[in-house]
Protein backbone atom coordinates (compact mmCIF):
# COMPACT_ATOMS: atom_id res chain seq x y z
CA UNK A 1 0.00 0.00 0.00
CA UNK A 2 1.38 3.41 -1.01
CA UNK A 3 1.78 5.94 1.77
CA UNK A 4 -0.33 9.09 1.50
CA UNK A 5 2.04 12.04 1.90
CA UNK A 6 -0.33 14.77 0.74
CA UNK A 7 0.13 16.72 3.98
CA UNK A 8 3.92 16.41 3.77
CA UNK A 9 4.25 20.02 2.71
CA UNK A 10 5.24 23.37 4.14
CA UNK A 11 2.48 25.54 5.59
CA UNK A 12 3.27 28.36 3.21
CA UNK A 13 2.50 26.15 0.22
CA UNK A 14 -1.14 25.83 1.28
CA UNK A 15 -1.22 29.49 2.25
CA UNK A 16 -0.17 30.39 -1.30
CA UNK A 17 -2.74 27.99 -2.74
CA UNK A 18 -5.40 29.76 -0.71
CA UNK A 19 -4.22 33.13 -1.99
CA UNK A 20 -4.31 31.85 -5.59
CA UNK A 21 -7.83 30.57 -4.98
CA UNK A 22 -9.00 33.86 -3.46
CA UNK A 23 -7.53 35.85 -6.35
CA UNK A 24 -8.72 33.62 -9.20
CA UNK A 25 -5.20 32.63 -10.18
CA UNK A 26 -5.34 28.96 -9.28
CA UNK A 27 -5.81 27.66 -12.83
CA UNK A 28 -2.87 29.56 -14.29
CA UNK A 29 -0.36 27.18 -15.90
CA UNK A 30 3.27 27.35 -14.79
CA UNK A 31 6.55 25.52 -15.23
CA UNK A 32 8.86 24.70 -12.31
CA UNK A 33 12.37 23.22 -12.53
CA UNK A 34 13.86 21.08 -9.78
CA UNK A 35 17.67 21.26 -9.78
CA UNK A 36 20.62 21.66 -7.44
CA UNK A 37 23.28 24.34 -7.46
CA UNK A 38 26.23 22.41 -6.08
CA UNK A 39 27.28 18.77 -6.04
CA UNK A 40 27.44 17.22 -2.56
CA UNK A 41 30.78 17.25 -0.77
CA UNK A 42 33.78 17.14 -3.06
CA UNK A 43 32.03 15.14 -5.74
CA UNK A 44 32.22 16.14 -9.39
CA UNK A 45 28.80 14.67 -10.17
CA UNK A 46 25.58 13.40 -8.60
CA UNK A 47 23.40 10.32 -9.14
CA UNK A 48 19.71 11.13 -9.54
CA UNK A 49 17.45 9.01 -7.33
CA UNK A 50 13.99 8.99 -5.79
CA UNK A 51 11.83 9.06 -8.93
CA UNK A 52 9.90 5.92 -8.00
CA UNK A 53 8.85 7.51 -4.70
CA UNK A 54 7.91 10.71 -6.56
CA UNK A 55 5.61 8.62 -8.75
CA UNK A 56 4.07 6.95 -5.70
CA UNK A 57 3.58 10.34 -4.07
CA UNK A 58 1.87 11.89 -7.09
CA UNK A 59 -0.39 8.88 -7.54
CA UNK A 60 -1.44 8.98 -3.89
CA UNK A 61 -2.23 12.71 -3.69
CA UNK A 62 -5.56 13.00 -1.93
CA UNK A 63 -6.65 14.94 1.16
CA UNK A 64 -8.43 12.77 3.71
CA UNK A 65 -11.38 14.03 5.72
CA UNK A 66 -9.09 14.12 8.75
CA UNK A 67 -6.63 16.29 6.79
CA UNK A 68 -9.38 18.67 5.74
CA UNK A 69 -10.76 18.96 9.26
CA UNK A 70 -7.28 19.80 10.55
CA UNK A 71 -6.78 22.50 7.87
CA UNK A 72 -10.17 23.99 8.66
CA UNK A 73 -9.81 23.94 12.43
CA UNK A 74 -6.12 24.79 12.78
CA UNK A 75 -5.46 27.05 9.80
CA UNK A 76 -8.77 28.83 9.43
CA UNK A 77 -9.33 28.29 5.71
CA UNK A 78 -12.89 28.87 4.53
CA UNK A 79 -15.10 25.90 3.75
CA UNK A 80 -15.27 26.55 0.01
CA UNK A 81 -11.48 26.20 -0.18
CA UNK A 82 -11.58 23.07 1.97
CA UNK A 83 -14.21 21.59 -0.35
CA UNK A 84 -11.96 22.37 -3.29
CA UNK A 85 -9.12 20.43 -1.67
CA UNK A 86 -11.45 17.47 -1.17
CA UNK A 87 -11.32 16.80 -4.92
CA UNK A 88 -7.63 17.62 -5.35
CA UNK A 89 -5.56 15.49 -7.70
CA UNK A 90 -2.57 16.07 -9.94
CA UNK A 91 -3.60 16.75 -13.54
CA UNK A 92 -0.41 18.07 -15.07
CA UNK A 93 2.84 17.00 -16.69
CA UNK A 94 6.11 15.84 -15.13
CA UNK A 95 9.33 15.11 -16.98
CA UNK A 96 12.41 13.81 -15.16
CA UNK A 97 15.75 12.15 -15.70
CA UNK A 98 15.60 8.38 -15.06
CA UNK A 99 16.94 7.22 -11.71
CA UNK A 100 20.64 6.43 -11.87
CA UNK A 101 21.40 9.22 -14.34
CA UNK A 102 24.62 11.13 -13.74
CA UNK A 103 23.58 14.76 -13.26
CA UNK A 104 25.23 18.10 -12.62
CA UNK A 105 24.45 21.51 -11.08
CA UNK A 106 22.02 23.93 -12.70
CA UNK A 107 20.35 21.47 -15.06
CA UNK A 108 16.71 20.46 -14.44
CA UNK A 109 16.36 16.91 -13.18
CA UNK A 110 12.58 17.22 -12.71
CA UNK A 111 10.36 19.56 -14.75
CA UNK A 112 6.76 20.20 -13.70
CA UNK A 113 4.14 21.85 -15.92
CA UNK A 114 0.69 22.22 -14.40
CA UNK A 115 -1.54 24.76 -12.69
CA UNK A 116 0.16 26.91 -10.09
CA UNK A 117 -2.32 25.52 -7.56
CA UNK A 118 -1.01 21.96 -8.07
CA UNK A 119 2.63 22.88 -8.65
CA UNK A 120 2.85 24.75 -5.37
CA UNK A 121 1.53 21.88 -3.23
CA UNK A 122 3.97 19.26 -4.52
CA UNK A 123 7.15 21.35 -4.20
CA UNK A 124 8.14 20.36 -0.67
CA UNK A 125 7.62 16.62 -1.01
CA UNK A 126 9.43 16.47 -4.37
CA UNK A 127 12.42 18.24 -2.88
CA UNK A 128 12.37 16.05 0.23
CA UNK A 129 12.34 12.83 -1.81
CA UNK A 130 14.77 13.77 -4.57
CA UNK A 131 17.24 15.67 -2.38
CA UNK A 132 17.63 12.81 0.08
CA UNK A 133 17.90 9.88 -2.27
CA UNK A 134 20.13 11.73 -4.75
CA UNK A 135 22.45 12.68 -1.88
CA UNK A 136 22.79 9.10 -0.60
CA UNK A 137 23.06 7.54 -4.07
CA UNK A 138 25.89 9.95 -4.84
CA UNK A 139 27.72 9.15 -1.62
CA UNK A 140 27.31 5.43 -2.22
CA UNK A 141 28.62 5.80 -5.77
CA UNK A 142 31.79 7.43 -4.47
CA UNK A 143 32.27 4.77 -1.80
CA UNK A 144 31.84 2.00 -4.38
CA UNK A 145 34.25 3.81 -6.71
CA UNK A 146 36.92 3.89 -4.00
CA UNK A 147 36.52 0.17 -3.30
CA UNK A 148 37.22 -0.78 -6.94
CA UNK A 149 36.18 -4.44 -7.23
CA UNK A 150 35.61 -4.92 -3.51
CA UNK A 151 32.14 -5.69 -2.22
CA UNK A 152 30.45 -2.77 -0.43
CA UNK A 153 27.61 -3.34 2.04
CA UNK A 154 25.46 -0.60 3.56
CA UNK A 155 25.39 -1.00 7.36
CA UNK A 156 23.93 2.35 8.40
CA UNK A 157 20.38 1.81 9.69
CA UNK A 158 21.14 2.37 13.37
CA UNK A 159 22.79 5.72 12.62
CA UNK A 160 20.32 7.01 10.02
CA UNK A 161 18.25 10.09 10.87
CA UNK A 162 15.09 8.14 11.47
CA UNK A 163 13.35 5.09 9.98
CA UNK A 164 12.50 6.65 6.60
CA UNK A 165 16.06 7.91 6.12
CA UNK A 166 17.33 4.42 6.89
CA UNK A 167 14.84 2.69 4.60
CA UNK A 168 15.06 4.97 1.57
CA UNK A 169 18.75 5.57 2.21
CA UNK A 170 19.28 1.83 1.72
CA UNK A 171 17.41 2.02 -1.57
CA UNK A 172 19.44 5.00 -2.74
CA UNK A 173 22.70 3.35 -1.68
CA UNK A 174 21.81 0.31 -3.78
CA UNK A 175 21.21 2.57 -6.77
CA UNK A 176 24.66 4.04 -6.10
CA UNK A 177 26.23 0.59 -6.34
CA UNK A 178 26.36 -1.11 -2.94
CA UNK A 179 25.74 -4.82 -3.22
CA UNK A 180 23.86 -5.49 0.00
CA UNK A 181 22.34 -3.90 3.09
CA UNK A 182 21.96 -4.87 6.73
CA UNK A 183 18.46 -3.32 6.67
CA UNK A 184 15.97 -6.20 6.68
CA UNK A 185 12.98 -3.96 5.91
CA UNK A 186 14.79 -2.55 2.87
CA UNK A 187 15.50 -6.10 1.79
CA UNK A 188 11.83 -7.01 2.10
CA UNK A 189 10.44 -3.83 0.50
CA UNK A 190 12.94 -3.35 -2.32
CA UNK A 191 14.48 -6.78 -2.86
CA UNK A 192 17.98 -5.66 -1.86
CA UNK A 193 20.23 -8.57 -0.75
CA UNK A 194 20.66 -8.54 3.02
CA UNK A 195 23.97 -9.34 4.71
CA UNK A 196 25.25 -9.41 8.26
CA UNK A 197 27.55 -11.17 10.68
CA UNK A 198 27.19 -10.96 14.46
CA UNK A 199 27.95 -8.44 17.17
CA UNK A 200 30.45 -8.29 20.03
CA UNK A 201 27.55 -9.03 22.38
CA UNK A 202 27.12 -12.43 20.74
CA UNK A 203 30.74 -13.29 21.54
CA UNK A 204 30.47 -11.90 25.07
CA UNK A 205 27.34 -13.95 25.74
CA UNK A 206 29.32 -17.24 25.64
CA UNK A 207 31.92 -18.41 28.17
CA UNK A 208 34.71 -18.22 25.60
CA UNK A 209 35.32 -16.59 22.24
CA UNK A 210 36.02 -20.01 20.71
CA UNK A 211 32.67 -21.40 21.89
CA UNK A 212 30.84 -18.39 20.41
CA UNK A 213 32.61 -18.91 17.07
CA UNK A 214 31.79 -22.63 17.02
CA UNK A 215 28.11 -21.99 17.75
CA UNK A 216 27.85 -19.35 15.03
CA UNK A 217 29.67 -21.49 12.46
CA UNK A 218 27.48 -24.51 13.18
CA UNK A 219 24.38 -22.32 12.86
CA UNK A 220 25.51 -20.60 9.65
CA UNK A 221 27.85 -22.98 7.81
CA UNK A 222 27.02 -21.32 4.48
CA UNK A 223 27.80 -17.79 5.65
CA UNK A 224 30.31 -17.92 8.46
CA UNK A 225 31.88 -14.48 8.96
CA UNK A 226 33.31 -14.19 12.47
CA UNK A 227 33.86 -10.88 14.29
CA UNK A 228 37.36 -11.25 15.73
CA UNK A 229 38.08 -8.06 17.69
CA UNK A 230 36.04 -8.51 20.88
CA UNK A 231 39.11 -9.25 23.00
CA UNK A 232 42.40 -9.43 21.07
CA UNK A 233 42.17 -9.42 17.28
CA UNK A 234 45.49 -11.02 16.37
CA UNK A 235 46.23 -12.72 19.67
CA UNK A 236 42.98 -14.63 20.12
CA UNK A 237 40.31 -13.57 17.60
CA UNK A 238 41.98 -14.72 14.39
CA UNK A 239 43.56 -17.86 15.97
CA UNK A 240 40.19 -18.90 17.42
CA UNK A 241 38.51 -18.28 14.06
CA UNK A 242 41.11 -20.53 12.43
CA UNK A 243 40.38 -23.28 14.95
CA UNK A 244 36.66 -22.98 14.14
CA UNK A 245 37.38 -23.10 10.41
CA UNK A 246 39.45 -26.29 10.87
CA UNK A 247 36.64 -27.90 12.81
CA UNK A 248 34.09 -26.98 10.13
CA UNK A 249 36.36 -28.24 7.35
CA UNK A 250 36.75 -31.56 9.15
CA UNK A 251 32.97 -31.83 9.45
CA UNK A 252 31.82 -30.46 6.09
CA UNK A 253 34.89 -30.71 3.88
CA UNK A 254 34.52 -28.83 0.58
CA UNK A 255 30.93 -27.90 1.45
CA UNK A 256 32.28 -25.33 3.90
CA UNK A 257 33.07 -22.58 1.40
CA UNK A 258 31.83 -19.10 2.31
CA UNK A 259 33.64 -18.05 5.47
CA UNK A 260 35.99 -15.42 6.84
CA UNK A 261 36.49 -12.76 9.49
CA UNK A 262 35.35 -9.22 10.18
CA UNK A 263 37.59 -6.47 11.53
CA UNK A 264 35.80 -3.63 13.31
CA UNK A 265 38.55 -1.69 15.08
CA UNK A 266 42.21 -0.85 15.14
CA UNK A 267 44.53 -0.12 12.23
CA UNK A 268 42.62 -1.89 9.50
CA UNK A 269 45.51 -1.87 7.05
CA UNK A 270 47.91 -3.48 9.52
CA UNK A 271 45.33 -5.80 11.05
CA UNK A 272 44.13 -7.05 7.69
CA UNK A 273 47.64 -7.80 6.44
CA UNK A 274 48.57 -9.65 9.62
CA UNK A 275 45.25 -11.54 9.66
CA UNK A 276 45.75 -12.48 6.01
CA UNK A 277 49.14 -13.98 6.87
CA UNK A 278 47.68 -16.04 9.70
CA UNK A 279 44.79 -17.29 7.56
CA UNK A 280 47.02 -18.18 4.61
CA UNK A 281 49.62 -19.94 6.76
CA UNK A 282 46.85 -21.96 8.38
CA UNK A 283 45.67 -23.12 4.95
CA UNK A 284 42.64 -20.85 4.52
CA UNK A 285 43.52 -18.54 1.61
CA UNK A 286 39.87 -18.50 0.51
CA UNK A 287 38.73 -17.01 3.84
CA UNK A 288 37.60 -13.45 3.19
CA UNK A 289 38.31 -10.39 5.31
CA UNK A 290 35.49 -7.91 5.87
CA UNK A 291 36.17 -4.48 7.36
CA UNK A 292 33.85 -2.02 9.08
CA UNK A 293 34.48 0.85 11.57
CA UNK A 294 33.63 4.40 10.41
CA UNK A 295 34.60 3.84 6.80
CA UNK A 296 34.06 6.29 3.96
CA UNK A 297 35.42 6.69 0.44
CA UNK A 298 38.55 8.52 1.60
CA UNK A 299 39.53 5.99 4.26
CA UNK A 300 38.86 3.08 1.91
CA UNK A 301 41.07 4.69 -0.71
CA UNK A 302 43.85 5.19 1.87
CA UNK A 303 43.59 1.62 3.14
CA UNK A 304 43.76 0.22 -0.37
CA UNK A 305 46.75 2.45 -1.08
CA UNK A 306 48.49 0.98 1.96
CA UNK A 307 47.95 -2.55 0.68
CA UNK A 308 45.16 -3.53 3.07
CA UNK A 309 44.01 -7.13 2.50
CA UNK A 310 40.29 -6.40 2.67
CA UNK A 311 37.78 -8.14 0.42
CA UNK A 312 34.54 -6.49 1.49
CA UNK A 313 33.57 -3.25 3.19
CA UNK A 314 30.69 -2.58 5.58
CA UNK A 315 30.01 1.15 5.46
CA UNK A 316 27.55 2.64 7.91
CA UNK A 317 27.28 6.11 9.45
CA UNK A 318 29.29 8.04 6.87
CA UNK A 319 27.26 6.58 4.02
CA UNK A 320 23.69 6.60 5.31
CA UNK A 321 24.03 10.19 6.60
CA UNK A 322 26.43 11.42 3.90
CA UNK A 323 28.26 12.75 6.92
CA UNK A 324 30.68 15.11 5.18
CA UNK A 325 27.83 16.71 3.20
CA UNK A 326 24.53 15.93 4.93
CA UNK A 327 22.18 17.79 2.59
CA UNK A 328 21.75 18.32 -1.12
CA UNK A 329 20.65 21.87 -1.83
CA UNK A 330 18.06 21.05 -4.44
CA UNK A 331 15.61 23.84 -5.26
CA UNK A 332 12.31 24.16 -7.15
CA UNK A 333 11.97 27.38 -9.10
CA UNK A 334 9.32 29.00 -11.27
CA UNK A 335 10.69 29.38 -14.80
CA UNK A 336 7.57 30.08 -16.90
CA UNK A 337 4.00 31.27 -16.38
CA UNK A 338 0.96 31.44 -18.61
CA UNK A 339 -0.07 34.92 -19.73
CA UNK A 340 -2.99 35.25 -22.16
CA UNK A 341 -2.71 31.60 -23.09
CA UNK A 342 1.05 31.65 -23.76
CA UNK A 343 3.83 30.45 -21.47
CA UNK A 344 6.11 33.38 -20.74
CA UNK A 345 9.62 32.85 -19.31
CA UNK A 346 10.26 34.01 -15.76
CA UNK A 347 13.54 34.75 -14.03
CA UNK A 348 14.53 35.08 -10.37
CA UNK A 349 17.27 37.66 -9.80
CA UNK A 350 19.75 37.50 -6.94
CA UNK A 351 22.82 39.37 -5.75
CA UNK A 352 24.42 35.92 -5.71
CA UNK A 353 25.04 34.95 -9.38
CA UNK A 354 24.64 31.26 -8.46
CA UNK A 355 21.05 31.94 -7.46
CA UNK A 356 19.94 33.64 -10.67
CA UNK A 357 17.59 31.14 -12.31
CA UNK A 358 17.57 30.05 -15.93
CA UNK A 359 14.15 30.93 -17.39
CA UNK A 360 11.75 29.19 -19.76
CA UNK A 361 10.35 25.79 -20.62
CA UNK A 362 13.54 23.83 -21.28
CA UNK A 363 15.10 20.50 -22.14
CA UNK A 364 18.51 19.05 -21.31
CA UNK A 365 20.58 17.36 -24.01
CA UNK A 366 23.73 15.32 -23.38
CA UNK A 367 26.27 14.97 -26.16
CA UNK A 368 28.52 11.89 -26.40
CA UNK A 369 31.58 11.26 -28.52
CA UNK A 370 30.51 8.82 -31.24
CA UNK A 371 33.75 6.87 -31.03
CA UNK A 372 34.51 6.69 -27.30
CA UNK A 373 30.85 6.97 -26.13
CA UNK A 374 32.09 9.33 -23.41
CA UNK A 375 30.01 12.37 -22.42
CA UNK A 376 31.28 15.64 -23.84
CA UNK A 377 28.93 18.35 -22.60
CA UNK A 378 25.36 18.94 -21.44
CA UNK A 379 23.37 21.68 -23.14
CA UNK A 380 20.28 23.25 -21.58
CA UNK A 381 18.04 24.41 -24.42
CA UNK A 382 14.67 25.98 -25.05
CA UNK A 383 12.10 23.23 -25.54
CA UNK A 384 11.30 24.39 -29.07
CA UNK A 385 14.94 24.49 -30.20
CA UNK A 386 16.25 21.91 -32.64
CA UNK A 387 19.02 19.70 -31.25
CA UNK A 388 22.24 20.35 -33.21
CA UNK A 389 23.02 17.77 -35.85
CA UNK A 390 26.41 19.18 -36.84
CA UNK A 391 29.45 20.69 -35.14
CA UNK A 392 28.71 23.57 -32.77
CA UNK A 393 30.43 25.74 -30.20
CA UNK A 394 29.40 25.36 -26.55
CA UNK A 395 30.33 28.20 -24.21
CA UNK A 396 30.33 28.69 -20.47
CA UNK A 397 27.21 30.71 -19.53
CA UNK A 398 29.15 32.75 -16.95
CA UNK A 399 32.69 32.87 -18.31
CA UNK A 400 31.58 33.16 -21.91
CA UNK A 401 35.12 33.27 -23.33
CA UNK A 402 35.50 29.63 -22.33
CA UNK A 403 34.41 27.74 -25.43
CA UNK A 404 34.47 24.18 -26.67
CA UNK A 405 33.91 22.82 -30.15
CA UNK A 406 31.60 19.81 -30.07
CA UNK A 407 31.93 17.50 -33.06
CA UNK A 408 31.48 13.85 -34.06
CA UNK A 409 28.71 13.47 -31.49
CA UNK A 410 25.46 11.72 -30.75
CA UNK A 411 22.81 13.42 -28.64
CA UNK A 412 20.39 12.23 -25.96
CA UNK A 413 17.59 14.15 -24.25
CA UNK A 414 17.80 13.54 -20.50
CA UNK A 415 14.28 14.50 -19.41
CA UNK A 416 11.71 11.82 -20.22
CA UNK A 417 7.91 11.95 -19.74
CA UNK A 418 6.67 10.58 -16.42
CA UNK A 419 3.14 12.02 -16.17
CA UNK A 420 1.00 13.54 -18.90
CA UNK A 421 -2.39 15.05 -18.10
CA UNK A 422 -2.05 13.53 -14.66
CA UNK A 423 -1.60 9.99 -15.99
CA UNK A 424 1.54 7.90 -15.45
CA UNK A 425 3.15 7.22 -18.85
CA UNK A 426 6.47 5.86 -17.60
CA UNK A 427 7.34 2.21 -16.93
CA UNK A 428 9.22 2.10 -13.65
CA UNK A 429 12.32 -0.10 -13.96
CA UNK A 430 13.37 -2.64 -11.34
CA UNK A 431 15.88 -1.58 -8.71
CA UNK A 432 18.45 -3.99 -10.19
CA UNK A 433 17.97 -2.39 -13.60
CA UNK A 434 18.44 1.07 -12.08
CA UNK A 435 21.67 -0.05 -10.40
CA UNK A 436 22.97 -1.49 -13.68
CA UNK A 437 22.01 1.73 -15.47
CA UNK A 438 23.92 3.77 -12.88
CA UNK A 439 27.04 1.69 -13.45
CA UNK A 440 26.72 2.06 -17.23
CA UNK A 441 26.14 5.80 -16.90
CA UNK A 442 29.24 6.31 -14.77
CA UNK A 443 31.40 4.53 -17.32
CA UNK A 444 30.39 7.14 -19.88
CA UNK A 445 32.24 9.79 -17.91
CA UNK A 446 36.01 10.09 -17.63
CA UNK A 447 37.82 9.02 -14.45
CA UNK A 448 38.85 12.64 -14.00
CA UNK A 449 35.21 13.65 -13.49
CA UNK A 450 34.69 10.74 -11.05
CA UNK A 451 37.86 11.56 -9.09
CA UNK A 452 37.27 11.73 -5.33
CA UNK A 453 39.18 14.98 -4.75
CA UNK A 454 39.45 17.99 -7.08
CA UNK A 455 37.49 16.37 -9.90
CA UNK A 456 37.50 17.80 -13.39
CA UNK A 457 34.54 20.14 -13.91
CA UNK A 458 32.02 18.77 -16.43
CA UNK A 459 30.43 21.49 -18.51
CA UNK A 460 26.71 22.28 -18.39
CA UNK A 461 26.18 25.08 -20.88
CA UNK A 462 23.23 27.05 -22.21
CA UNK A 463 22.29 27.20 -25.87
CA UNK A 464 22.85 30.62 -27.41
CA UNK A 465 19.11 31.44 -27.70
CA UNK A 466 18.55 30.50 -24.06
CA UNK A 467 21.61 32.46 -22.93
CA UNK A 468 20.39 35.54 -24.79
CA UNK A 469 16.91 35.18 -23.32
CA UNK A 470 18.35 34.94 -19.81
CA UNK A 471 20.53 37.98 -20.37
CA UNK A 472 17.61 40.03 -21.73
CA UNK A 473 15.27 39.05 -18.90
CA UNK A 474 17.93 39.80 -16.32
CA UNK A 475 18.49 43.24 -17.79
CA UNK A 476 14.76 43.88 -17.99
CA UNK A 477 14.18 42.77 -14.39
CA UNK A 478 16.92 45.04 -13.14
CA UNK A 479 15.45 48.05 -14.96
CA UNK A 480 11.86 47.43 -13.86
CA UNK A 481 12.70 46.84 -10.21
CA UNK A 482 15.00 49.82 -10.04
CA UNK A 483 12.36 52.12 -11.52
CA UNK A 484 14.23 52.46 -14.80
CA UNK A 485 11.72 50.72 -17.08
Amino acid sequence: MKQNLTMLTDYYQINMMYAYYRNEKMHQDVVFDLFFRKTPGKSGYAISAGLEQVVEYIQSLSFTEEDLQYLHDSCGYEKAFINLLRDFKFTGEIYAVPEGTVVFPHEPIVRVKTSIFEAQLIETALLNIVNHQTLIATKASRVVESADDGMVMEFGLRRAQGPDAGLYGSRAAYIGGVQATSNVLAGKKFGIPVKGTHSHAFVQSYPTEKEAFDVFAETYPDNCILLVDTYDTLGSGVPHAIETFRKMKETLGDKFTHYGIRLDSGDLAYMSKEARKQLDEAGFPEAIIVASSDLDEYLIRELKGQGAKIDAWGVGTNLITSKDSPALGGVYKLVAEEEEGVLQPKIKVSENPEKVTTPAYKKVVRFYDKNTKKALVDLVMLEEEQIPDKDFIAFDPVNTWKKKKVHNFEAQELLVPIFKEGKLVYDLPSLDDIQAYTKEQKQRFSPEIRRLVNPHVYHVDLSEPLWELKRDLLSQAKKENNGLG
Side-chain angles (χ1 to χ4, degrees), residues 435-449:
Q435 188 190 65
Y437 175 70
T438 305
K439 185 175 181 180
E440 180 270 331
Q441 277 274 297
K442 286 176 60 179
Q443 292 308 309
R444 303 198 74 175
F445 290 84
S446 69
E448 291 79 10
I449 291 168

Side-chain angles (χ1 to χ4, degrees), residues 34-307:
L34 190 159
F35 61 95
F36 57 91
R37 298 188 178 108
K38 184 179 179 182
T39 50
K42 299 176 181 178
S43 182
Y45 66 93
I47 301 294
S48 180
L51 180 58
E52 183 173 310
Q53 281 63 54
V54 167
V55 168
E56 292 176 355
Y57 163 72
I58 294 295
Q59 289 185 311
S60 300
L61 277 173
S62 176
F63 288 94
T64 67
E65 289 303 316
E66 185 179 351
D67 295 338
L68 297 173
Q69 192 66 49
Y70 170 81
L71 292 173
H72 179 267
D73 294 346
S74 301
C75 305
Y77 300 123
E78 63 186 64
K79 283 196 173 182
F81 177 71
I82 296 297
N83 288 334
L84 188 66
L85 294 182
R86 181 172 282 109
D87 297 324
F88 183 93
K89 63 179 180 178
F90 183 78
T91 63
E93 166 193 293
I94 295 178
Y95 276 60
V97 300
E99 290 192 90
T101 301
V102 175
V103 289
F104 299 93
H106 300 290
E107 58 186 15
I109 56 178
V110 179
R111 186 186 73 196
V112 176
K113 180 176 179 286
T114 191
S115 71
I116 196 167
F117 194 73
E118 296 175 17
Q120 210 74 75
L121 176 68
I122 67 176
E123 172 181 356
T124 301
L126 261 59
L127 286 170
N128 176 276
I129 293 166
V130 174
N131 275 338
H132 175 245
Q133 289 201 47
T134 299
L135 176 73
I136 303 305
T138 304
K139 184 68 171 180
S141 173
R142 287 166 56 79
V143 171
V144 169
E145 185 97 17
S146 70
D148 294 327
D149 295 328
M151 182 181 194
V152 177
M153 299 167 285
E154 180 271 309
F155 281 179
L157 178 57
R158 63 187 59 196
R159 301 284 175 78
Q161 282 108 340
D164 279 354
L167 178 63
Y168 292 104
S170 290
R171 180 185 186 274
Y174 193 68
I175 289 173
V178 306
Q179 294 168 269
T181 180
S182 65
N183 188 331
V184 178
L185 182 57
K188 175 188 175 185
K189 184 173 177 65
F190 303 122
I192 303 171
V194 291
K195 298 284 185 183
T197 57
H198 61 78
S199 69
H200 297 101
F202 182 84
V203 177
Q204 292 172 279
S205 70
Y206 287 88
T208 66
E209 185 176 55
K210 176 62 169 59
E211 185 176 344
F213 287 175
D214 286 346
V215 168
F216 192 82
E218 289 164 5
T219 306
Y220 300 102
D222 298 327
N223 186 27
C224 179
I225 308 297
L226 303 174
L227 179 59
V228 294
D229 72 335
T230 303
Y231 302 116
D232 181 349
T233 302
L234 299 177
S236 69
V238 177
H240 284 153
I242 288 171
E243 290 180 31
T244 296
F245 297 156
R246 285 200 183 106
K247 181 178 178 181
M248 295 301 293
K249 280 287 187 181
E250 289 172 1
T251 304
L252 298 177
D254 292 340
K255 293 181 181 180
F256 183 64
T257 54
H258 186 68
Y259 62 97
I261 64 170
R262 176 162 72 98
L263 304 171
D264 191 49
S265 61
D267 185 328
L268 296 177
Y270 171 76
M271 291 289 184
S272 66
K273 286 185 276 190
E274 291 300 310
R276 184 76 270 163
K277 287 179 186 176
Q278 290 188 33
L279 291 165
D280 290 351
E281 289 171 359
F284 298 108
E286 69 273 26
I288 68 169
I289 298 178
V290 180
S292 48
S293 184
D294 292 327
L295 296 171
D296 63 11
E297 65 266 44
Y298 305 108
L299 181 52
I300 291 173
R301 183 188 60 177
E302 288 297 315
L303 291 170
K304 289 182 70 68
Q306 294 167 22

